[in-house]
mmCIF file of all heavy atoms in Angstrom:
data_model
loop_
_atom_site.group_PDB
_atom_site.id
_atom_site.type_symbol
_atom_site.label_atom_id
_atom_site.label_comp_id
_atom_site.label_asym_id
_atom_site.label_seq_id
_atom_site.Cartn_x
_atom_site.Cartn_y
_atom_site.Cartn_z
ATOM 1 N N GLU A 84 158.184 36.570 81.446
ATOM 2 C CA GLU A 84 158.412 35.143 81.071
ATOM 3 C C GLU A 84 159.824 34.713 81.209
ATOM 4 O O GLU A 84 160.122 33.546 81.350
ATOM 5 C CB GLU A 84 158.042 34.962 79.585
ATOM 6 C CG GLU A 84 156.473 34.929 79.343
ATOM 7 C CD GLU A 84 156.194 35.322 77.808
ATOM 8 O OE1 GLU A 84 157.059 35.287 76.981
ATOM 9 O OE2 GLU A 84 154.959 35.800 77.620
ATOM 10 N N CYS A 94 165.142 47.259 72.494
ATOM 11 C CA CYS A 94 163.858 47.934 72.374
ATOM 12 C C CYS A 94 164.174 49.389 72.503
ATOM 13 O O CYS A 94 164.939 49.925 73.346
ATOM 14 C CB CYS A 94 162.952 47.555 73.546
ATOM 15 S SG CYS A 94 161.516 48.650 73.760
ATOM 16 N N LEU A 104 156.538 51.460 81.921
ATOM 17 C CA LEU A 104 155.725 50.296 81.608
ATOM 18 C C LEU A 104 156.515 49.070 81.407
ATOM 19 O O LEU A 104 156.162 47.887 81.879
ATOM 20 C CB LEU A 104 155.050 50.630 80.285
ATOM 21 C CG LEU A 104 153.579 50.138 79.978
ATOM 22 C CD1 LEU A 104 152.983 50.934 78.913
ATOM 23 C CD2 LEU A 104 153.518 48.768 79.865
ATOM 24 N N THR A 170 182.749 47.817 77.814
ATOM 25 C CA THR A 170 182.343 48.866 78.757
ATOM 26 C C THR A 170 181.131 48.607 79.536
ATOM 27 O O THR A 170 181.057 48.847 80.782
ATOM 28 C CB THR A 170 182.277 50.178 77.971
ATOM 29 O OG1 THR A 170 183.318 50.438 77.215
ATOM 30 C CG2 THR A 170 181.962 51.358 78.831
#
Side-chain angles (χ1 to χ4, degrees):
E84 286 159 18
C94 167
L104 216 166
T170 306

